[in-house]
C-alpha cells in the first residue's frame, strides 16, 4: 500500500524513523529517517517481513522478534538490526498498534540509542558539568543509562574501584558489584523500567562495592535520576566507608577494653564533673554509674588524705603532667580502701585540656600485709641471728621477702641476692616438676604446714645442694594467706651417701641375673645375700638360699671338671668364669653362665665371694635351632636352579630370598624334549612347614612336567593334577599354594600358561613402552578338589621379556607404610629392560631395597625373568 504524497511529506518530517507494518509484520511504508537508519530504500523492503529481513533482536529479554504478541507495546525498548551495508545498528524501538481500518496495523518507531549518540550536546554538557563538580572530589561519580551501561566514570571512581575510565565506559555497572548484588542488578533495572518502583533511587543506603582486584569494601551509595533528550540516566555518588567502619570497630574494641578493664577507670571534664566510670569502678566503690556521674570526685574523699596532697595533685594535672600516688578513699558503705591512682589529662586537637582520666588499683590488702610484716620483722630478725639454720620468709607467690645469713653457708648467696626471687629460681633445673608440686601444696586449699620436704638446689658455684625444708603459712586476721615462714637444713652429704646406697641396692635387686654373696670367712662359704632374680632362676626362696651353699644346685649332669675348676679358683682367690649344668628346686635342668669374683678388705684378705648367675638355656637352644635352620636353608636353596638357563631362543634367571631362614616361595625352570617349563609358587606362611611342603611340591611338579613334556597336555592339566595329588597333605597342614605355571615352545614362539591364584605375570613387548599383565582363572591349590584351570596362550617375539614374582615383592613396605606395588615394579622393569635376565633381577632387588630402606622384609621374595632371543 502506498501513502498519499502529502502523508509521505508528513512522516518524512519526523526525526525518528517511522515504519508502517501490516498485521504479519511486512513493511508497507517507512520515512526517510528510517531509510537512513536501515540503509534501505522503501521499495527495497516493501512487502517483505521487516523483522526477519533486518534480523531485528530485542534487548536481553530473549523474545522471538517474529512473535508480535510478546513485543513490548508503547514503550521504548533496546534493539539491534542489520543494516544494508552489513553493519549492526543499536537502536531503541517503540511499537504501537493502529486502530484505523486498512492494511496498515502496526507503527514501529526507530531511533538511535542514547549510548550510540555520545556526541549529543545534552549528554556531553551533563558530563562536563558533573566532571567539573566531582572531578576533584575523592567520592566516586558514576553515570549509567537505563540499561546499566556506564556513561561517566570520574577520577574519584577510578581511585576507589581501581579501574581506568576507559575500562569501564560502555560496560555494565554490575562489574563494580560483588555477588549477590551483581546477579540481581539487571533484573532490578528491568523491573524499574517496567513498574517504576524504586528500591534505592532517591533514597541512598550502605552497600558493598568490588574493586578491580576482586576485594569488596563498604560504601554509601546515593542515586539520582535525570532525563536528557528523551533518554533516562542514573547518577550514582559513592563514598568509601572502609576507614569509618575500621574506626567504629576500633572504638567498640577500646570501649569494651576500658569497660572490662580489671582496674577502676573514671573520666571527668576539666571542671572535675564525672562523666564516665567503668564496671570495675562501680564494684570497687559501691556506687552505681547513675549515682556518681555528674558528681565531683570529692564524694570519694575519706578525710584521711592531706589537703597538701590534693593541692599538689590538681597543680600537676592542670599543668598537663601525670600524677601518681597512693590515696585513701571511702566507699559508698563507708568502708575505707587504699588505691594506687594515676591521673592523666586528655587534650583536644588544639592541645587544650578537655578531660581528666583517673585509674585506680585497689592496694588495700597489700597495705595491710606490709603493716603486719613490719610488726614482726624486728622480732624475727633477732631470732634468725641466733639460729644456725637457714631461716626465710616468702610471700604467697613463693618469692623471698626475708633470708637469714645462713643462706650464704648453704647456697653461696647473700640474703640480698635472693630477695624478691622465687624459690623456684634457686632449684636445680631437673627439680622443676618437684618444685612446682611443692608450690601447689602451698597454695589456696592446701595451705598447711609442711615438714622435712627434700629440696634440690643449685649452689652458686654450680654444685648440687639438698636441704630438708620445714615451713608454715602465716594468715592475717581475716584468714588470708600473707606469707610463708620456714627453715632449711643442709643434708647434701647425707643425701649423696643414701642415694648411692639406694641406687646400688635397687640395681642389684632389679637386674635379671642372679647375684649371690657368700662369706669367705665362715666354714662352707654360706650365702649371706641373694637377689630376687636368683630365686626366680633356681626356684628356691630367699630364705632357703640364705645360710646354705650353692652346691644345692649341682646334679647328675653337672660336669665334675667344672666343679674342680671352681674349687681351685676359690682356693687361689682368683676370678672364675664357667658354663655348667645346674638344677632348679623342681629338678629341671638349666645352663648357667657363672662368674665368681673375690672381695678383699684393706689388708688384702678375702672376706667374701660374689657370684653372678645367668640362665643361658634358651640362648643355647636358640643357637642350636639357628644352626639347624641354617642347614635347612642350605638344603632348600640347593633345590632351586643353580643358575640361569640358556637354551636356543630363550634365556631365564631367577632368585628366591626367604624372609627368615627358610620360606615358602619357590621357582623352577628346565628344558625337556625341546620345551621350557617354568613355575613360580608361594606356600602360605614362611615357616619350616611351608618349606617342607614346597619340597614335596618340587618333587611332584618335576615328575608331572617331565611326564607331560611330549604330551599334548599343558600347564592347566599340570595344575589340575597337582591340586588332586597335594590336596590331602595341604588340608592336614592347613596350608594352600598359589602357583603360576607356563610352558614355552621355542620353535613356534608359543607361550602357554595357567594360574592358580598367583600374582599376574608382567609382559614387556620389545616394540612397546607399557607393561601387560598376564593372568588366567584358577583357584589356589589345596582348597578343594575337582578344580578346572583356564589355559591361555600367546605368541612371543624376539626381544620380548616376561617377569614372574611372588607377593613378597609388591607387598614390601617402606617406613611410611607404602607398598612397593605392581606399578612401581613395572616402572623398574621398563627401566632395566635392556639388561640380561640375571642382571635385571639383581637391579630389581636393588631398587626394592632402596624403596624399603631399613624396613626388614616381612615375606619371602621370589622373581623369574625371561627373555626371548
Amino acid at each position: 500500500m502506498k501513502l498519499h504524497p502529502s502523508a509521505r511529506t508528513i512522516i518524512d518530517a519526523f526525526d525518528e524513523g517511522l515504519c508502517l507494518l501490516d498485521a504479519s509484520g511486512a513493511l508497507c511504508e517507512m520515512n526517510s529517517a528510517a531509510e537512513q537508519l536501515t540503509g534501505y530504500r522503501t521499495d527495497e523492503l516493501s512487502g517483505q517481513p521487516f523483522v526477519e529481513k533486518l534480523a531485528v533482536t530485542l534487548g536481553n529479554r530473549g523474545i522471538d522478534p517474529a512473535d508480535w504478541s510478546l513485543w513490548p507495546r508503547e514503550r521504548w525498548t533496546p534493539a539491534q538490526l542489520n543494516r544494508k551495508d552489513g553493519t549492526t545498528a543499536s537502536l531503541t524501538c517503540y511499537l504501537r498498534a493502529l486502530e484505523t481500518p486498512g492494511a496498515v496495523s502496526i507503527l514501529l518507531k526507530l531511533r538511535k540509542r542514547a549510548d550510540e549518540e555520545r556526541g549529543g550536546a545534552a549528554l556531553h554538557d551533563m558530563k562536563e558539568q558533573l566532571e567539573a563538580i566531582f572531578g576533584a572530589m575523592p567520592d566516586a561519580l558514576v553515570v549509567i543509562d537505563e540499561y546499566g551501561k556506564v556513561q561517566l566514570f570520574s577520577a574519584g571512581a577510578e581511585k576507589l574501584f581501581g579501574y581506568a575510565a576507559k575500562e569501564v565506559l560502555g560496560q555494565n555497572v554490575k562489574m563494580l558489584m560483588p555477588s549477590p548484588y551483581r546477579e540481581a542488578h539487571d533484573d532490578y533495572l528491568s523491573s524499574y523500567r517496567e513498574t517504576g518502583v524504586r528500591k534505592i533511587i532517591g533514597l541512598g543506603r550502605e552497600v558493598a562495592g568490588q574493586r578491580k582486584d576482586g576485594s569488596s569494601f563498604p560504601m554509601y551509595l546515593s542515586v539520582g535520576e535525570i532525563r536528557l533528550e528523551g533518554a533516562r540516566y542514573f547518577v550514582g555518588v559513592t563514598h568509601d566507608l572502609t576507614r569509618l567502619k575500621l574506626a567504629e570497630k576500633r572504638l567498640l574494641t577500646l570501649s569494651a577494653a576500658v569497660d572490662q578493664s580489671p582496674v577502676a577507670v573514671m573520666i571527668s571534664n576539666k571542671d572535675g564533673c564525672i562523666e564516665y566510670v567503668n564496671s570495675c569502678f562501680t564494684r570497687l566503690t559501691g556506687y552505681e554509674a547513675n549515682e556518681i556521674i555528674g558528681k565531683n570526685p570529692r564524694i570519694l574523699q575519706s578525710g584521711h588524705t592531706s589537703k597538701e596532697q590534693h593541692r599538689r595533685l590538681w597543680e600537676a594535672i592542670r599543668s598537663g603532667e601525670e600524677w601518681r600516688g597512693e590515696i585513701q578513699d571511702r566507699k559508698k558503705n563507708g568502708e575505707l580502701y587504699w588505691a594506687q591512682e594515676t591521673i592523666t589529662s586528655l587534650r583536644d586537637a588544639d592541645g587544650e585540656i578537655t578531660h581528666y582520666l583517673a585509674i585506680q588499683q585497689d592496694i588495700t590488702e597489700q597495705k595491710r600485709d606490709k603493716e603486719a610484716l613490719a610488726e614482726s620483722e624486728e622480732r624475727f630478725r633477732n631470732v634468725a641471728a641466733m639460729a644456725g639454720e637457714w631461716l626465710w620468709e616468702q610471700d604467697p607467690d613463693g618469692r623471698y621477702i626475708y633470708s637469714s645469713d645462713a643462706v650464704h653457708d648453704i647456697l653461696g648467696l647473700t640474703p640480698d641476692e635472693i630477695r624478691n626471687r622465687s624459690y623456684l629460681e634457686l632449684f636445680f633445673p631437673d627439680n622443676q616438676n618437684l618444685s612446682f608440686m611443692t608450690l601447689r601444696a602451698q597454695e589456696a586449699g592446701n595451705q598447711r604446714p609442711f615438714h622435712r620436704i627434700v629440696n634440690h638446689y643449685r649452689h652458686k658455684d654450680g654444685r648440687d645442694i639438698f636441704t630438708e625444708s620445714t615451713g608454715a603459712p602465716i594468715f592475717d586476721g581475716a584468714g588470708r594467706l600473707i606469707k610463708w615462714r620456714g627453715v632449711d637444713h643442709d643434708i647434701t652429704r647425707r643425701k649423696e651417701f643414701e642415694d648411692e646406697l639406694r641406687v646400688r641396692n635397687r640395681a642389684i635387686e632389679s637386674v635379671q641375673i642372679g647375684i649371690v654373696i657368700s662369706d669367705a670367712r665362715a666354714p662352707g662359704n654360706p650365702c649371706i645375700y641373694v637377689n630376687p632374680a636368683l630365686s626366680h632362676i633356681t626356684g628356691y626362696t630367699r630364705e632357703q638360699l640364705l645360710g646354705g651353699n650353692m652346691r644345692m644346685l649341682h646334679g647328675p649332669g653337672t660336669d665334675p671338671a667344672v666343679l674342680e675348676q671352681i674349687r681351685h679358683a676359690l682356693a687361689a682367690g682368683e676370678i672364675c668364669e664357667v658354663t655348667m649344668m645346674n638344677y632348679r628346686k623342681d629338678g629341671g635342668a638349666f645352663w648357667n653362665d657363672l662368674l665368681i669374683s673375690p672381695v678383699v678388705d684393706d689388708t688384702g684378705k678375702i672376706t667374701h665371694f660374689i657370684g653372678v648367675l645367668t640362665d643361658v638355656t634358651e640362648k643355647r637352644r636358640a643357637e642350636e635351632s639357628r644352626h639347624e635352620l641354617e642347614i635347612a636353608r642350605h638344603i632348600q636353596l640347593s633345590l632351586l636352579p643353580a643358575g640361569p638357563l640358556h637354551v636356543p631362543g630363550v634365556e631365564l634367571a631367577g632368585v628366591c630370598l626367604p624372609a627368615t631362614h627358610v620360606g615358602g616361595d619357590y621357582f623352577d625352570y628346565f628344558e625337556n624334549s625341546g620345551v621350557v617349563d617354568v613355575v613360580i609358587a608361594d606356600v602360605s606362611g614362611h615357616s619350616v612347614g611351608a618349606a617342607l611342603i614346597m619340597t614335596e611340591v618340587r618333587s611332584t611338579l618335576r615328575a608331572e612336567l617331565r611326564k607331560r613334556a611330549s604330551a599334548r597336555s599343558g600347564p592347566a592339566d599340570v595344575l589340575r593334577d597337582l591340586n588332586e595329588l597335594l590336596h590331602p597333605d595341604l588340608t592336614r597342614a592347613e596350608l594352600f599354594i598359589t602357583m603360576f605355571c607356563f610352558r614355552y615352545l621355542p620353535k613356534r614362539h608359543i607361550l602357554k600358561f595357567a594360574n592358580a591364584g598367583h600374582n599376574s605375570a608382567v609382559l614387556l613387548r620389545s616394540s612397546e613402552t607399557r607393561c601387560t599383565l598376564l593372568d588366567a582363572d584358577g583357584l589356589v591349590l589345596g582348597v578343594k578338589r575337582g578344580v578346572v584351570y583356564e589355559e591361555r596362550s600367546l605368541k612371543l617375539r624376539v626381544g620380548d621379556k616376561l617377569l614372574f614374582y611372588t607377593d613378597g615383592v609388591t607387598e614390601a613396605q617402606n617406613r611410611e607404610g607404602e607398598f612397593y606395588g605392581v606399578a612401581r615394579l613395572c616402572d623398574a622393569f621398563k627401566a632395566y629392560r635392556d639388561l640380561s635376565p640375571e642382571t635385571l633381577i639383581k637391579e630389581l632387588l636393588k631398587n626394592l631395597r632402596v624403596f624399603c630402606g631399613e624396613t626388614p622384609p616381612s615375606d619371602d621374595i621370589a622373581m623369574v625373568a625371561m627373555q626371548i632371543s
Side-chain angles (χ1 to χ4, degrees), residues 81-93:
L81 58 80
N82 292 338
R83 293 167 52 87
K84 181 179 179 180
D85 61 6
T87 61
T88 300
S90 296
L91 310 171
T92 56
C93 67

Side-chain angles (χ1 to χ4, degrees), residues 154-385:
S154 70
E158 290 181 318
K159 183 176 181 181
L160 179 59
F161 290 97
Y163 289 97
K166 62 182 180 181
E167 297 179 276
V168 182
L169 292 175
Q171 303 296 320
N172 194 307
V173 73
K174 66 184 180 183
M175 68 184 292
L176 306 178
M177 305 174 188
S179 293
Y181 309 107
R182 179 188 298 118
E183 291 76 12
H185 185 258
D186 286 347
D187 290 339
Y188 165 66
L189 283 181
S190 176
S191 174
Y192 178 62
R193 290 194 304 268
E194 294 177 5
T195 65
V197 177
R198 300 181 176 184
K199 292 185 178 179
I200 188 172
I201 298 172
L203 302 176
R205 68 180 180 187
E206 184 179 321
V207 296
Q210 181 170 292
R211 297 185 176 90
K212 183 178 180 179
D213 62 8
S215 61
S216 298
F217 64 96
M219 66 182 188
Y220 188 84
L221 173 63
S222 300
V223 181
E225 180 181 353
I226 60 175
R227 289 182 178 271
L228 293 174
E229 297 182 341
R232 177 165 35 191
Y233 298 91
F234 301 105
V235 180
V237 179
T238 63
H239 178 70
D240 189 359
L241 298 179
T242 304
R243 295 182 62 183
L244 178 61
K245 290 294 183 181
L246 290 175
E248 289 178 353
K249 183 177 180 181
R250 189 177 297 110
L251 183 60
L252 288 174
T253 302
L254 291 174
S255 177
V258 171
D259 189 62
Q260 299 172 27
S261 172
V263 296
V265 177
M266 175 182 67
I267 299 176
S268 68
N269 61 23
K270 64 179 181 179
D271 297 324
C273 184
I274 298 174
E275 295 185 356
Y276 170 83
V277 293
N278 70 346
S279 301
C280 182
F281 185 91
T282 61
R283 291 194 300 270
L284 176 62
T285 64
Y287 288 98
E288 296 296 330
N290 59 358
E291 294 178 306
I292 198 136
I293 289 178
K295 303 291 180 61
N296 191 285
R298 68 172 62 94
I299 193 175
L300 301 173
Q301 291 182 5
S302 64
H304 297 287
T305 303
S306 67
K307 294 181 179 180
E308 179 61 21
Q309 184 176 359
H310 280 295
R311 185 186 64 78
R312 291 196 302 269
L313 183 158
W314 279 104
E315 284 182 355
I317 62 177
R318 282 172 177 163
S319 64
E321 297 178 2
E322 181 181 83
W323 182 86
R324 292 174 178 266
E326 294 182 359
I327 193 168
Q328 190 177 42
D329 280 344
R330 189 183 301 276
K331 301 181 181 180
K332 180 181 178 181
N333 62 5
E335 180 183 349
L336 298 178
Y337 70 95
W338 281 96
Q340 180 68 40
E341 186 166 27
T342 302
I343 303 177
T344 304
S345 57
L346 304 179
R347 301 174 183 269
D348 60 15
D350 297 327
E352 296 295 327
I353 295 175
T354 60
H355 294 81
Y356 297 108
L357 170 67
I359 298 175
Q360 284 192 348
Q361 184 173 4
D362 188 4
I363 59 170
T364 306
E365 296 304 320
Q366 293 92 317
K367 294 283 287 186
R368 292 174 180 171
D369 292 345
K370 288 180 180 179
E371 292 173 358
L373 179 63
E375 293 177 0
S376 61
E377 184 175 346
E378 184 63 28
R379 180 172 60 255
F380 187 76
R381 186 179 294 110
N382 294 333
V383 173

